[in-house]
Amino acid sequence: MSIFANVEYINSNYMTNLYWPIYKKIEKEIVELSNHIHFDDNQLSVYSVKIVELLIRCVVEIEAISKDLYLKNGGAIPAGRVLYYDTDCLNLLEGIWELSKKQVIVSSANFYFQDNNNKILYPLRKANKRSTSGADWAKAYQAVKHNRSLNLSKGNIKHLLRASAALFLLNLYYRDDVFELSSNNTNTFTEKFSEIFDVKVHTWAGDSTGADSYVKKPDFEECVYLIKWANDYKNKFTEWASEQGRKLNEIIFSHPKVNQYINENLIEDGKIKEKEFASFIENRDYFKCFDMKKEYGSMIQSAGRHASEKLKFDFKRTPAQFEAVLNKNQKIYQNG
């Protein structure tokens, strides 16, 4: 079982992750700092040597984990120059995962922000750019690294929180956890990830049998995790739906009135009129041959019962099985 209540890992990089313990140590120190400084909208510009230290440690970790993720995801070492964590590494990851759109929520009970701009963060927005075009926390880091005494005020709460949120987000993508949620379509599995942050989760909103069957709500791109049907359940449903559809077609085309229409209108000299028959199928004109309101419902039920009995899988009575995965802009169902 996982360290999170009622959630089971399917896979995780937790045991080999050298970054997560360091992030958690930084987070603990930020929480401790909030016991001495009141974190609210009016205090974001508060700065200190300690905050500068934490900011630098955050971004050093961001540099390291970004390069690791870059290499793990197909990035190549450039010839004749060093590898840049922002314009090389984060830029590649942005192209794959759209990290700039991912939302991190400041959720600590010890923080008292009221402005949504300070509670809802997009910490990797502009993080793949450099100089004046880059993220504010990255510019602050460069400033205090190169001239600390002149730029001490840039080592403030605002920049620290955004840098730590960026580090938190990259750690989640590095861990790449998959969570078995059983029949629970719920976002509560993220609540214990952090003492400071939470992330947006796209709960399951619907599914079907097609390759792009996963129903995406308008905020999908902002979500760090998405909840989907477990692959085994999805495959069983797809097989069931296919068998139900096959049987339904068999029932429809065995209907006396459908057969009568075909024989009287679509057959000539013992041969099917291919063009007319294709139109008959494409336009679903067979539905006009019988009383849809009175007969179609029972046809669907009969086809469904057949599929359930044949496959030993009752879609209506078997609870859906869910899992949570990172939102990587991927094909949701690999076998879909």
Side-chain angles (χ1 to χ4, degrees):
M1 295 296 290
S2 77
I3 58 174
F4 305 124
N6 301 319
V7 177
E8 183 178 350
Y9 285 119
I10 296 176
N11 69 278
S12 173
N13 289 322
Y14 180 74
M15 297 304 294
T16 58
N17 189 342
L18 302 176
Y19 300 104
W20 186 250
I22 297 174
Y23 165 74
K24 293 299 288 184
K25 189 173 188 302
I26 292 172
E27 179 184 277
K28 183 177 180 181
E29 292 182 49
I30 295 173
V31 171
E32 179 61 26
L33 185 67
S34 71
N35 291 325
H36 302 282
I37 301 173
H38 191 71
F39 278 32
D40 67 16
D41 297 320
N42 298 317
Q43 297 277 77
L44 288 174
S45 61
V46 170
Y47 61 92
S48 71
V49 171
K50 177 62 179 177
I51 297 174
V52 167
E53 176 210 329
L54 288 168
L55 174 63
I56 290 173
R57 285 165 57 194
C58 274
V59 184
V60 167
E61 285 297 297
I62 288 172
E63 289 187 0
I65 199 171
S66 299
K67 291 176 181 179
D68 209 338
L69 282 167
Y70 171 83
L71 295 173
K72 285 177 181 292
N73 288 277
I77 301 293
R81 66 170 177 84
V82 298
L83 180 65
Y84 298 122
Y85 87 93
D86 41 20
T87 52
D88 289 327
C89 302
L90 290 179
N91 194 55
L92 174 76
L93 301 177
E94 172 66 17
I96 302 172
W97 297 335
E98 298 185 329
L99 294 176
S100 64
K101 299 176 181 178
K102 301 298 179 281
Q103 186 180 110
V104 176
I105 302 157
V106 179
S107 59
S108 173
N110 214 32
F111 298 174
Y112 302 92
F113 299 116
Q114 299 299 314
D115 189 337
N116 278 339
N117 291 322
N118 300 323
K119 292 193 295 183
I120 300 173
L121 309 179
Y122 298 87
L124 289 172
R125 186 173 288 173
K126 298 184 179 181
N128 60 325
K129 302 182 184 298
R130 305 201 92 185
S131 189
T132 56
S133 299
D136 286 347
W137 56 260
K139 290 185 285 187
Y141 162 70
Q142 293 294 337
V144 298
K145 184 174 74 169
H146 292 294
N147 195 329
R148 190 164 306 174
S149 59
L150 182 64
N151 296 301
L152 188 63
S153 63
K154 295 185 185 299
N156 57 41
I157 291 173
K158 177 182 177 180
H159 295 143
L160 173 60
L161 281 182
R162 283 155 176 76
S164 57
L167 180 57
F168 172 63
L169 186 55
L170 288 170
N171 264 277
L172 294 183
Y173 275 82
Y174 185 86
R175 288 169 62 106
D176 198 19
D177 295 326
V178 178
F179 297 99
E180 174 60 68
L181 303 179
S182 298
S183 59
N184 299 312
N185 178 27
T186 175
N187 63 355
T188 55
F189 69 95
T190 66
E191 291 176 352
K192 295 186 179 180
F193 285 2
S194 167
E195 293 184 59
I196 299 176
F197 303 115
D198 200 352
V199 292
K200 201 167 191 179
V201 176
H202 187 276
T203 52
W204 184 84
D207 232 302
S208 64
T209 58
D212 297 320
S213 61
Y214 187 81
V215 176
K216 297 178 181 179
K217 293 180 281 190
D219 65 347
F220 177 81
E221 291 179 335
E222 297 178 343
C223 298
V224 175
Y225 284 90
L226 62 92
I227 296 175
K228 67 181 189 68
W229 277 345
N231 288 335
D232 183 59
Y233 182 86
K234 168 68 173 178
N235 291 338
K236 287 180 178 178
F237 169 77
T238 300
E239 187 180 10
W240 178 89
S242 177
E243 180 60 26
Q244 183 206 37
R246 186 199 66 77
K247 184 62 177 180
L248 180 59
N249 282 336
E250 180 183 300
I251 292 171
I252 289 172
F253 284 91
S254 297
H255 194 287
K257 291 185 178 180
V258 175
N259 273 321
Q260 181 183 353
Y261 182 89
I262 293 174
N263 288 328
E264 292 178 355
N265 298 279
L266 303 178
I267 295 178
E268 187 173 59
D269 297 329
K271 295 182 180 179
I272 287 285
K273 298 178 180 179
E274 293 185 5
K275 184 177 180 181
E276 289 82 352
F277 186 77
S279 177
F280 178 72
I281 298 298
E282 182 180 353
N283 297 322
R284 298 184 177 184
D285 289 336
Y286 42 82
F287 285 139
K288 300 176 182 178
C289 297
F290 56 87
D291 191 328
M292 284 283 290
K293 290 183 179 180
K294 292 181 178 180
E295 298 181 79
Y296 191 55
S298 63
M299 290 177 174
I300 293 175
Q301 291 175 5
S302 179
R305 283 194 301 270
H306 163 83
S308 297
E309 291 170 4
K310 179 178 180 179
L311 301 173
K312 310 301 182 188
F313 174 77
D314 191 334
F315 167 65
K316 292 187 176 180
R317 295 184 180 182
T318 304
Q321 298 296 301
F322 296 104
E323 64 185 15
V325 300
L326 282 169
N327 184 359
K328 292 184 173 181
N329 199 31
Q330 74 271 46
K331 181 181 179 183
I332 305 300
Y333 296 108
Q334 297 307 311
N335 297 321

